[in-house]
Amino acid sequence: MAGTIKLNSGYEMPMVGLGVWRMEGKSIRDLILSAIKIGYRHFDCAADYQNEAEVGEALEEALKSGLVKREDLFITTKLWNSDHGHVLEACKDSLKKLRLDYLDLYLVHFPIATRHTGVGTTASAIGEDGVLDIDTTISLETTWHAMEDLVSKGLVRSIGISNYDIFLTRDCLAYSKIKPAVNQIETHPYFQRDSLVRFCQKHGVCVTAHTPLGGAAANTEWFGSVSCLDDPTLKALAEKYNKTVAQLILKWGLQRNTVVIPKSSKEERLRENFQVSDFTISDDDMDKIKAIDRKYRTNQPAKFWGIDLYA
Protein backbone atom coordinates (compact mmCIF):
# COMPACT_ATOMS: atom_id res chain seq x y z
CA MET A 1 0.00 0.00 0.00
CA ALA A 2 1.26 3.46 -0.89
CA GLY A 3 -0.47 5.07 2.08
CA THR A 4 -2.61 8.20 2.29
CA ILE A 5 -2.08 11.95 2.34
CA LYS A 6 -3.98 14.28 4.67
CA LEU A 7 -5.91 16.98 2.83
CA ASN A 8 -6.41 20.50 4.19
CA SER A 9 -10.07 19.52 4.70
CA GLY A 10 -8.94 17.00 7.31
CA TYR A 11 -9.76 13.90 5.23
CA GLU A 12 -7.26 11.24 4.15
CA MET A 13 -6.82 10.55 0.43
CA PRO A 14 -5.17 7.33 -0.82
CA MET A 15 -2.02 8.23 -2.76
CA VAL A 16 -2.59 5.65 -5.50
CA GLY A 17 -5.93 5.72 -7.26
CA LEU A 18 -7.47 4.39 -10.44
CA GLY A 19 -8.54 6.78 -13.18
CA VAL A 20 -11.59 5.65 -15.13
CA TRP A 21 -11.19 7.91 -18.18
CA ARG A 22 -11.90 6.03 -21.42
CA MET A 23 -13.04 2.90 -19.59
CA GLU A 24 -15.76 1.31 -21.66
CA GLY A 25 -19.14 0.48 -20.14
CA LYS A 26 -19.08 -3.30 -20.28
CA SER A 27 -15.60 -3.76 -18.83
CA ILE A 28 -15.99 -1.25 -15.99
CA ARG A 29 -17.71 -3.60 -13.55
CA ASP A 30 -15.01 -6.25 -13.70
CA LEU A 31 -12.19 -3.71 -13.63
CA ILE A 32 -13.50 -1.87 -10.58
CA LEU A 33 -14.28 -5.05 -8.66
CA SER A 34 -10.81 -6.40 -9.53
CA ALA A 35 -9.22 -3.12 -8.46
CA ILE A 36 -11.00 -3.19 -5.09
CA LYS A 37 -9.86 -6.79 -4.54
CA ILE A 38 -6.27 -5.74 -5.35
CA GLY A 39 -6.53 -2.96 -2.76
CA TYR A 40 -7.53 0.20 -4.63
CA ARG A 41 -9.79 2.45 -2.59
CA HIS A 42 -9.48 5.69 -4.58
CA PHE A 43 -11.37 6.05 -7.87
CA ASP A 44 -11.14 9.13 -10.07
CA CYS A 45 -14.23 9.81 -12.16
CA ALA A 46 -15.71 12.72 -14.10
CA ALA A 47 -19.07 13.61 -15.60
CA ASP A 48 -17.22 14.14 -18.88
CA TYR A 49 -16.05 10.52 -19.00
CA GLN A 50 -19.66 9.51 -19.65
CA ASN A 51 -19.40 6.38 -17.51
CA GLU A 52 -20.48 7.48 -14.02
CA ALA A 53 -23.59 5.28 -14.21
CA GLU A 54 -21.52 2.16 -14.96
CA VAL A 55 -19.03 3.05 -12.23
CA GLY A 56 -21.97 3.54 -9.87
CA GLU A 57 -23.35 0.07 -10.62
CA ALA A 58 -19.95 -1.49 -9.88
CA LEU A 59 -19.55 0.48 -6.64
CA GLU A 60 -23.05 -0.45 -5.51
CA GLU A 61 -22.31 -4.13 -6.15
CA ALA A 62 -19.02 -3.88 -4.21
CA LEU A 63 -20.76 -2.19 -1.27
CA LYS A 64 -23.82 -4.46 -1.17
CA SER A 65 -21.74 -7.63 -1.37
CA GLY A 66 -19.58 -6.47 1.54
CA LEU A 67 -16.43 -6.35 -0.58
CA VAL A 68 -15.69 -2.89 0.82
CA LYS A 69 -17.31 -0.31 3.12
CA ARG A 70 -18.30 3.15 1.84
CA GLU A 71 -16.12 4.88 4.45
CA ASP A 72 -13.08 3.03 3.08
CA LEU A 73 -13.61 4.32 -0.47
CA PHE A 74 -12.47 7.68 -1.79
CA ILE A 75 -14.53 8.73 -4.81
CA THR A 76 -13.70 11.80 -6.88
CA THR A 77 -15.72 13.23 -9.74
CA LYS A 78 -15.66 16.53 -11.60
CA LEU A 79 -17.85 19.44 -12.65
CA TRP A 80 -17.87 19.78 -16.43
CA ASN A 81 -17.23 23.11 -18.18
CA SER A 82 -20.83 23.53 -19.38
CA ASP A 83 -22.23 23.18 -15.84
CA HIS A 84 -20.42 26.06 -14.08
CA GLY A 85 -23.74 27.88 -13.70
CA HIS A 86 -25.46 24.70 -12.47
CA VAL A 87 -23.08 23.34 -9.84
CA LEU A 88 -25.67 21.94 -7.41
CA GLU A 89 -27.68 20.18 -10.14
CA ALA A 90 -24.52 18.79 -11.77
CA CYS A 91 -23.24 17.44 -8.45
CA LYS A 92 -26.59 15.81 -7.68
CA ASP A 93 -26.66 14.28 -11.16
CA SER A 94 -23.20 12.76 -10.61
CA LEU A 95 -24.20 11.46 -7.16
CA LYS A 96 -27.31 9.84 -8.59
CA LYS A 97 -25.33 8.15 -11.39
CA LEU A 98 -22.61 7.02 -8.98
CA ARG A 99 -25.32 5.81 -6.53
CA LEU A 100 -23.67 7.66 -3.64
CA ASP A 101 -24.92 9.91 -0.85
CA TYR A 102 -21.77 12.04 -0.86
CA LEU A 103 -18.55 12.56 -2.80
CA ASP A 104 -15.16 12.46 -1.15
CA LEU A 105 -13.84 15.03 -3.61
CA TYR A 106 -15.48 17.21 -6.25
CA LEU A 107 -13.24 19.09 -8.68
CA VAL A 108 -13.76 21.93 -11.15
CA HIS A 109 -12.60 19.94 -14.21
CA PHE A 110 -11.17 22.89 -16.18
CA PRO A 111 -10.90 26.58 -15.31
CA ILE A 112 -13.32 27.52 -18.06
CA ALA A 113 -17.10 27.96 -18.22
CA THR A 114 -18.75 27.08 -21.54
CA ARG A 115 -22.26 27.40 -22.91
CA HIS A 116 -24.66 25.27 -20.86
CA THR A 117 -25.88 22.24 -22.81
CA GLY A 118 -28.04 20.65 -20.10
CA VAL A 119 -26.97 18.98 -16.86
CA GLY A 120 -25.40 15.60 -17.48
CA THR A 121 -24.64 16.33 -21.13
CA THR A 122 -20.95 16.96 -21.43
CA ALA A 123 -20.27 17.45 -25.10
CA SER A 124 -17.92 20.38 -25.64
CA ALA A 125 -20.06 23.36 -26.66
CA ILE A 126 -18.55 24.34 -30.00
CA GLY A 127 -19.77 27.52 -31.70
CA GLU A 128 -20.56 27.94 -35.41
CA ASP A 129 -16.96 29.11 -35.90
CA GLY A 130 -15.67 25.73 -34.73
CA VAL A 131 -14.29 27.23 -31.51
CA LEU A 132 -15.25 26.39 -27.92
CA ASP A 133 -18.22 28.54 -26.89
CA ILE A 134 -16.84 30.16 -23.73
CA ASP A 135 -19.33 31.73 -21.30
CA THR A 136 -17.90 35.08 -20.21
CA THR A 137 -20.68 35.77 -17.70
CA ILE A 138 -19.61 33.20 -15.08
CA SER A 139 -16.41 33.81 -13.12
CA LEU A 140 -14.36 31.06 -11.55
CA GLU A 141 -14.99 32.77 -8.22
CA THR A 142 -18.76 32.35 -8.67
CA THR A 143 -18.25 28.70 -9.55
CA TRP A 144 -16.03 28.19 -6.51
CA HIS A 145 -18.54 29.66 -4.07
CA ALA A 146 -21.17 27.27 -5.50
CA MET A 147 -18.68 24.43 -4.87
CA GLU A 148 -18.31 25.61 -1.26
CA ASP A 149 -22.08 25.41 -0.83
CA LEU A 150 -21.91 21.69 -1.64
CA VAL A 151 -19.71 21.15 1.41
CA SER A 152 -22.13 22.96 3.73
CA LYS A 153 -24.99 20.88 2.26
CA GLY A 154 -23.10 17.66 3.10
CA LEU A 155 -22.99 16.50 -0.51
CA VAL A 156 -19.22 16.76 -0.80
CA ARG A 157 -16.45 16.31 1.78
CA SER A 158 -13.61 18.05 -0.03
CA ILE A 159 -13.54 20.36 -3.04
CA GLY A 160 -10.74 21.13 -5.42
CA ILE A 161 -9.60 22.37 -8.79
CA SER A 162 -8.13 20.73 -11.87
CA ASN A 163 -5.89 21.99 -14.66
CA TYR A 164 -5.34 25.33 -12.85
CA ASP A 165 -2.00 27.11 -13.27
CA ILE A 166 -0.18 29.07 -10.54
CA PHE A 167 -2.11 32.31 -11.20
CA LEU A 168 -5.55 30.71 -11.13
CA THR A 169 -4.64 28.62 -8.06
CA ARG A 170 -3.41 31.75 -6.29
CA ASP A 171 -6.66 33.54 -7.13
CA CYS A 172 -8.72 30.61 -5.85
CA LEU A 173 -6.79 30.66 -2.57
CA ALA A 174 -7.50 34.40 -2.30
CA TYR A 175 -11.27 34.30 -2.85
CA SER A 176 -12.04 30.95 -1.22
CA LYS A 177 -13.72 30.51 2.15
CA ILE A 178 -12.98 26.79 1.85
CA LYS A 179 -9.52 26.33 0.37
CA PRO A 180 -9.12 23.94 -2.57
CA ALA A 181 -7.92 20.64 -1.13
CA VAL A 182 -6.48 19.38 -4.42
CA ASN A 183 -5.25 20.62 -7.77
CA GLN A 184 -5.33 17.77 -10.30
CA ILE A 185 -2.90 18.46 -13.13
CA GLU A 186 -1.04 16.62 -15.86
CA THR A 187 2.42 15.86 -14.55
CA HIS A 188 4.91 13.11 -15.40
CA PRO A 189 8.67 12.90 -16.10
CA TYR A 190 8.31 14.71 -19.46
CA PHE A 191 6.07 17.42 -17.92
CA GLN A 192 7.29 17.86 -14.35
CA ARG A 193 5.94 21.37 -13.61
CA ASP A 194 8.03 21.71 -10.48
CA SER A 195 7.06 25.37 -9.91
CA LEU A 196 3.34 24.62 -9.96
CA VAL A 197 3.72 21.47 -7.85
CA ARG A 198 5.83 23.28 -5.25
CA PHE A 199 3.54 26.33 -5.18
CA CYS A 200 0.48 24.14 -4.50
CA GLN A 201 2.24 22.08 -1.84
CA LYS A 202 3.64 25.19 -0.14
CA HIS A 203 0.09 26.52 0.20
CA GLY A 204 -1.44 23.28 1.46
CA VAL A 205 -3.02 22.19 -1.81
CA CYS A 206 -2.41 18.51 -2.59
CA VAL A 207 -1.34 17.79 -6.16
CA THR A 208 -2.89 14.82 -7.95
CA ALA A 209 -1.08 13.76 -11.11
CA HIS A 210 -3.46 12.86 -13.90
CA THR A 211 -1.77 11.27 -16.92
CA PRO A 212 1.03 10.19 -14.51
CA LEU A 213 2.55 7.83 -17.10
CA GLY A 214 2.52 10.43 -19.86
CA GLY A 215 -0.66 9.18 -21.43
CA ALA A 216 0.73 5.99 -22.99
CA ALA A 217 -1.37 4.56 -25.83
CA ALA A 218 -4.50 6.61 -25.09
CA ASN A 219 -2.90 10.01 -25.64
CA THR A 220 -0.83 8.78 -28.59
CA GLU A 221 -4.09 7.71 -30.20
CA TRP A 222 -6.07 10.85 -29.29
CA PHE A 223 -3.46 13.58 -29.44
CA GLY A 224 -0.50 12.06 -31.31
CA SER A 225 1.77 12.61 -28.29
CA VAL A 226 4.82 10.63 -27.20
CA SER A 227 4.90 8.79 -23.85
CA CYS A 228 7.85 8.79 -21.46
CA LEU A 229 7.38 5.02 -21.00
CA ASP A 230 9.87 4.48 -23.84
CA ASP A 231 12.50 6.84 -22.45
CA PRO A 232 15.98 5.21 -22.32
CA THR A 233 16.89 6.84 -18.98
CA LEU A 234 13.71 5.54 -17.38
CA LYS A 235 14.16 2.10 -18.93
CA ALA A 236 17.70 1.85 -17.52
CA LEU A 237 16.56 2.95 -14.04
CA ALA A 238 13.63 0.53 -14.08
CA GLU A 239 16.07 -2.28 -14.84
CA LYS A 240 18.32 -1.14 -11.99
CA TYR A 241 15.43 -1.34 -9.49
CA ASN A 242 14.04 -4.52 -11.09
CA LYS A 243 10.71 -2.77 -11.72
CA THR A 244 8.67 -1.92 -14.80
CA VAL A 245 9.05 1.59 -16.24
CA ALA A 246 5.47 2.34 -15.14
CA GLN A 247 6.24 1.33 -11.54
CA LEU A 248 9.36 3.52 -11.54
CA ILE A 249 7.41 6.54 -12.85
CA LEU A 250 4.60 6.09 -10.33
CA LYS A 251 7.12 5.80 -7.51
CA TRP A 252 8.80 8.99 -8.74
CA GLY A 253 5.41 10.70 -8.53
CA LEU A 254 4.81 9.41 -5.00
CA GLN A 255 8.27 10.54 -3.88
CA ARG A 256 7.36 14.05 -5.07
CA ASN A 257 4.45 13.77 -2.60
CA THR A 258 1.90 13.79 -5.42
CA VAL A 259 -1.10 11.47 -5.66
CA VAL A 260 -1.07 9.29 -8.79
CA ILE A 261 -4.13 7.98 -10.62
CA PRO A 262 -2.94 5.74 -13.45
CA LYS A 263 -5.58 4.29 -15.75
CA SER A 264 -5.44 0.70 -16.90
CA SER A 265 -7.88 -1.68 -18.53
CA LYS A 266 -5.80 -4.79 -17.83
CA GLU A 267 -5.90 -6.60 -14.50
CA GLU A 268 -2.18 -7.43 -14.48
CA ARG A 269 -1.40 -3.72 -15.00
CA LEU A 270 -3.79 -2.77 -12.19
CA ARG A 271 -1.86 -5.06 -9.90
CA GLU A 272 1.53 -3.85 -11.13
CA ASN A 273 0.64 -0.15 -10.76
CA PHE A 274 -0.46 -0.76 -7.18
CA GLN A 275 2.77 -2.51 -6.16
CA VAL A 276 5.11 0.43 -5.74
CA SER A 277 5.73 0.58 -2.00
CA ASP A 278 8.58 -1.91 -1.76
CA PHE A 279 11.42 0.25 -3.13
CA THR A 280 12.79 3.78 -2.91
CA ILE A 281 14.39 5.78 -5.72
CA SER A 282 17.70 7.30 -4.58
CA ASP A 283 18.27 11.08 -4.61
CA ASP A 284 20.79 10.67 -7.44
CA ASP A 285 18.29 8.77 -9.54
CA MET A 286 15.53 11.30 -8.73
CA ASP A 287 17.94 13.93 -10.15
CA LYS A 288 18.44 11.84 -13.29
CA ILE A 289 14.68 11.76 -13.79
CA LYS A 290 14.50 15.52 -13.13
CA ALA A 291 16.97 16.03 -16.00
CA ILE A 292 14.67 14.48 -18.64
CA ASP A 293 11.88 17.06 -18.25
CA ARG A 294 10.76 18.23 -21.71
CA LYS A 295 7.96 20.59 -20.57
CA TYR A 296 5.86 18.38 -22.82
CA ARG A 297 2.08 18.31 -22.39
CA THR A 298 0.46 15.16 -23.81
CA ASN A 299 -3.21 15.89 -23.00
CA GLN A 300 -4.28 18.49 -25.58
CA PRO A 301 -8.00 19.33 -25.51
CA ALA A 302 -7.28 22.06 -28.08
CA LYS A 303 -7.63 19.30 -30.67
CA PHE A 304 -11.37 19.16 -29.90
CA TRP A 305 -11.96 22.75 -28.79
CA GLY A 306 -10.58 24.74 -31.71
CA ILE A 307 -8.72 26.91 -29.20
CA ASP A 308 -5.59 26.32 -27.15
CA LEU A 309 -6.37 27.44 -23.61
CA TYR A 310 -2.75 26.81 -22.60
CA ALA A 311 -1.25 29.05 -25.29
Side-chain angles (χ1 to χ4, degrees), residues 18-220:
L18 179 64
V20 303
W21 182 51
R22 294 193 69 192
M23 277 194 185
E24 299 303 327
K26 289 189 288 294
S27 62
I28 285 176
R29 175 192 172 273
D30 293 344
L31 278 167
I32 287 182
L33 293 177
S34 293
I36 290 172
K37 286 171 187 165
I38 288 165
Y40 286 88
R41 294 295 178 264
H42 173 184
F43 294 91
D44 184 82
C45 315
D48 184 51
Y49 302 163
Q50 291 287 304
N51 57 13
E52 285 177 316
E54 290 84 357
V55 172
E57 284 175 27
L59 292 175
E60 185 177 65
E61 185 175 335
L63 292 168
K64 280 188 170 169
S65 67
L67 185 60
V68 69
K69 292 190 178 80
R70 173 64 185 99
E71 58 267 28
D72 296 329
L73 289 174
F74 192 100
I75 310 297
T76 301
T77 198
K78 309 179 191 81
L79 174 79
W80 186 237
N81 307 339
S82 54
D83 285 334
H84 278 228
H86 303 264
V87 173
L88 177 61
E89 302 96 306
C91 178
K92 284 182 170 175
D93 185 64
S94 286
L95 281 168
K96 185 178 173 187
K97 286 173 178 164
L98 289 166
R99 305 187 184 197
L100 298 173
D101 297 325
Y102 68 89
L103 294 169
D104 294 280
L105 179 64
Y106 197 42
L107 303 176
V108 179
H109 202 149
F110 282 95
I112 190 83
T114 59
R115 174 169 46 85
H116 185 57
T117 53
V119 169
T121 63
T122 58
S124 294
I126 305 296
E128 287 175 10
D129 57 358
V131 175
L132 194 66
D133 213 344
I134 294 169
D135 187 335
T136 57
T137 68
I138 303 170
S139 72
L140 292 176
E141 181 173 353
T142 301
T143 300
W144 187 253
H145 292 321
M147 296 283 285
E148 291 173 329
D149 288 343
L150 300 175
V151 179
S152 56
K153 285 183 166 72
L155 298 174
V156 175
R157 288 187 162 180
S158 304
I159 49 176
I161 52 184
S162 182
N163 300 303
Y164 277 49
D165 62 15
I166 286 179
F167 302 117
L168 293 173
T169 304
R170 191 253 357 211
D171 274 6
C172 189
L173 288 166
Y175 56 63
S176 59
K177 294 192 286 284
I178 299 174
K179 302 292 180 205
V182 169
N183 186 8
Q184 184 178 128
I185 58 170
E186 177 180 346
T187 178
H188 46 76
Y190 278 0
F191 196 40
Q192 298 187 20
R193 309 176 86 181
D194 256 3
S195 296
L196 176 55
V197 170
R198 285 179 16 217
F199 175 83
C200 289
Q201 291 174 341
K202 180 178 179 176
H203 293 280
V205 180
C206 168
V207 173
T208 295
H210 75 66
T211 325
L213 300 174
N219 282 6
T220 302

Side-chain angles (χ1 to χ4, degrees), residues 262-300:
K263 172 204 174 285
S264 182
S265 300
K266 297 186 176 74
E267 190 171 334
E268 65 271 20
R269 288 265 190 278
L270 287 178
R271 200 173 295 282
E272 182 186 292
N273 290 345
F274 200 68
Q275 292 169 342
V276 289
S277 57
D278 59 347
F279 73 111
T280 302
I281 302 170
S282 71
D283 290 345
D284 280 355
D285 289 339
M286 287 293 283
D287 287 342
K288 283 179 189 163
I289 298 173
K290 190 167 189 166
I292 67 168
D293 190 5
R294 297 183 180 189
K295 298 185 167 43
Y296 179 72
R297 182 188 299 279
T298 70
N299 188 305
Q300 286 286 8

